[in-house]
Amino acid sequence: MKKKSSTKKHNTLSAEKKAQRKEEVQKQKRKSIRKRVLIGAIAVVLLGGAATGTIVVYHDDAIMTHARTAMKSDHYRVSQAMMSYYLKRMYNTYLNYYSADTLKSSYGLDVTKPLQDQPHDEDQSWYDYLLSTTEKSVQDLLVLAEAADANGFSLTQEQKDDMEKELNAIDMSEYPDVVTKEDIRTCMEIQKKATYYNQQLQDSLENTGEEMDTYFQEHAKNYETCDYATFTFSYEAQSAQTGLYLTQEEAANYAKSLETCKDLSAFQSWVSNYYKQSDQELSQLEIQQAVEKTYQENIGYTEGSAISEWIFDENAAVGDSQIFQSESSNSFTVCLLLTQPEREEAPTVNVRHILIRSDSYASDEEAKAQAEAIYQEWKNGAQTEDSFSELAEKYSEDTAEKGLYEDVYPGEMVTSFNDWCFDDARKPGDTGIVESSYGYHILYFIQKNDTPTWKVLVNKDLISQKHQDTITGYSDTYQIKVKEKNIKDLELIQ
């Protein structure tokens, strides 16, 4: 620092006073430096770092990250550092639920590469997607936390103790240096309060019989199923004809011929003959399997589907058939209605299961061996539903609490799981292991319920609508202020 030139005023000061003033200035400088270093050192200790020559810069960055508000409600504030924690949790959700191979093959996400460099869709990268999803999730948490407080809800001591255990088990190296344990504690308090209150809210909602009947009448197509047969003829576009496949005219003529069949037997017989005449390379077994696929059983309504809209129209009758052309896929599809749409009266069941995911192990054989070992552990014990639920809590890689699924309806689960549950010979206390694309399911059959499927679905959907209406009301009442500039470019440790 350059020394200023003397002025007339300075010249009037005695040498003693000038020296005294200089010393005071130096003391203030030393005091200021010590203060900055001390505060910086405290910040480093709290964040688990080490005091280095970059201490002041680190302190400034940490302070600013905590000072910047990402979003806030009337009683809660989420800092930029806290948003980094929430972002990491969102990312971990994918890592915990899917293997790296599944993420890459099914979702196009390579966990070894920066998220910013990988497209999630046409409009955004995986990083942008996770960031926007996290932002919406945190807004919902704040709304629910405010509603919880307004309705006198608070965490129980047991819930608080569980939260502390979870907090103490956290590996801080997974998070950016600016994220502290106190940040995470605050985040978890908001999250737990919102989550437990939301569950209490859902559990408190009920429907009357009159409400369910009215809702069903208004949305009847959503709870009806029917059987039909369908077969598709694909053709070559005129601009790319090779002579190896059907022309549009040929496909249309075949479709018109099949349309004359008015029952399943005639429909499948026609398809079988068509395969025999058009493809000499197919074996009898392959033809049989292809023909069986024409039969569609217990199919529900799909809004926007031309076939579905026709089938569930009140004017469609059993034995009616229709041809649907798709110019985008160059095809004609023939559909024959076999049963009138009716609401699903099949009973539901309650079941517990323990999922052992194949992709969590080095090989399918290892996953199978683990499932068999757990099943044997249950057999060696009390062999009760309670002992099964304890093992589910200990081993299952599924999200269901203690492996419990209630009011399971036909077709809800994967095929092997479904077929086991709805076997006509199934009785309470039955157990077994089935394999699916997820891995191995160790199953415990609890009971068959009297409530029909349609009523279970109506009850769930009506409860869901009431719940969503309540949340929408909360969102209108408890406004969340978001500062987008403080949410961009959050650090994420992959």
Side-chain angles (χ1 to χ4, degrees), residues 69-78 135-136 138-147 150 470-483:
T69 297
M71 63 180 72
K72 66 178 181 178
S73 59
D74 289 342
H75 301 96
Y76 296 94
R77 172 184 172 273
V78 176
E135 180 180 341
K136 178 60 172 64
V138 176
Q139 289 184 61
D140 292 342
L141 290 178
L142 292 183
V143 167
L144 283 165
E146 289 285 356
T470 303
I471 298 299
T472 300
Y474 286 161
S475 297
D476 293 338
T477 302
Y478 308 110
Q479 297 294 313
I480 309 301
K481 297 179 181 179
V482 180
K483 293 191 176 182

Side-chain angles (χ1 to χ4, degrees), residues 142-204:
L142 292 183
V143 167
L144 283 165
E146 289 285 356
D149 291 342
N151 287 279
F153 177 85
S154 60
L155 296 176
T156 65
Q157 189 57 51
E158 182 179 1
Q159 290 167 345
K160 291 178 181 178
D161 292 342
D162 289 342
M163 186 188 75
E164 286 299 321
K165 291 178 182 178
E166 186 178 341
L167 179 64
N168 292 331
I170 287 178
D171 181 0
M172 294 300 295
S173 66
E174 292 187 4
Y175 301 93
D177 290 340
V178 294
V179 178
T180 69
K181 269 284 181 73
E182 284 307 310
D183 290 328
I184 298 179
R185 175 179 277 106
T186 303
C187 288
M188 291 179 69
E189 287 173 347
I190 294 173
Q191 178 197 355
K192 297 295 184 183
K193 179 178 289 188
T195 301
Y196 283 119
Y197 175 71
N198 187 48
Q199 186 61 57
Q200 176 180 289
L201 172 63
Q202 288 180 307
D203 293 342
S204 68

Side-chain angles (χ1 to χ4, degrees), residues 227-245:
D227 301 345
Y228 60 86
T230 182
F231 189 75
T232 298
F233 300 93
S234 298
Y235 58 83
E236 285 186 307
Q238 291 184 353
S239 59
Q241 287 186 357
T242 63
L244 299 176
Y245 304 97

Side-chain angles (χ1 to χ4, degrees), residues 233 246 249-259 270 274 334:
F233 300 93
L246 296 179
E249 182 179 3
E250 289 172 334
N253 289 334
Y254 279 128
K256 290 176 183 177
S257 177
L258 179 57
E259 187 186 18
W270 191 102
Y274 169 77
V334 182

Side-chain angles (χ1 to χ4, degrees), residues 15 25-26 43 69 86 109 158 187 199 203 233 307 318 370 381 401 440 462 471 489:
V25 170
Q26 293 300 323
T69 297
Y86 281 126
L109 174 60
E158 182 179 1
C187 288
Q199 186 61 57
D203 293 342
F233 300 93
I307 293 178
V318 173
Q370 173 69 353
E401 184 175 359
Y440 292 87
L462 187 51
I471 298 299
D489 301 323

Side-chain angles (χ1 to χ4, degrees), residues 337-382:
L337 183 59
L338 299 175
T339 64
Q340 206 68 34
E342 295 179 343
R343 65 189 189 186
E344 182 58 74
E345 298 289 349
T348 60
V349 301
N350 295 348
V351 63
R352 289 187 188 272
H353 93 128
I354 300 171
L355 172 62
I356 302 302
R357 300 180 67 91
S358 295
D359 56 16
S360 296
Y361 295 81
S363 66
D364 183 75
E365 289 73 20
E366 285 189 21
K368 182 179 181 180
Q370 173 69 353
E372 292 174 342
I374 294 171
Y375 189 29
Q376 189 61 49
E377 183 176 344
W378 177 79
K379 289 181 176 180
N380 293 339

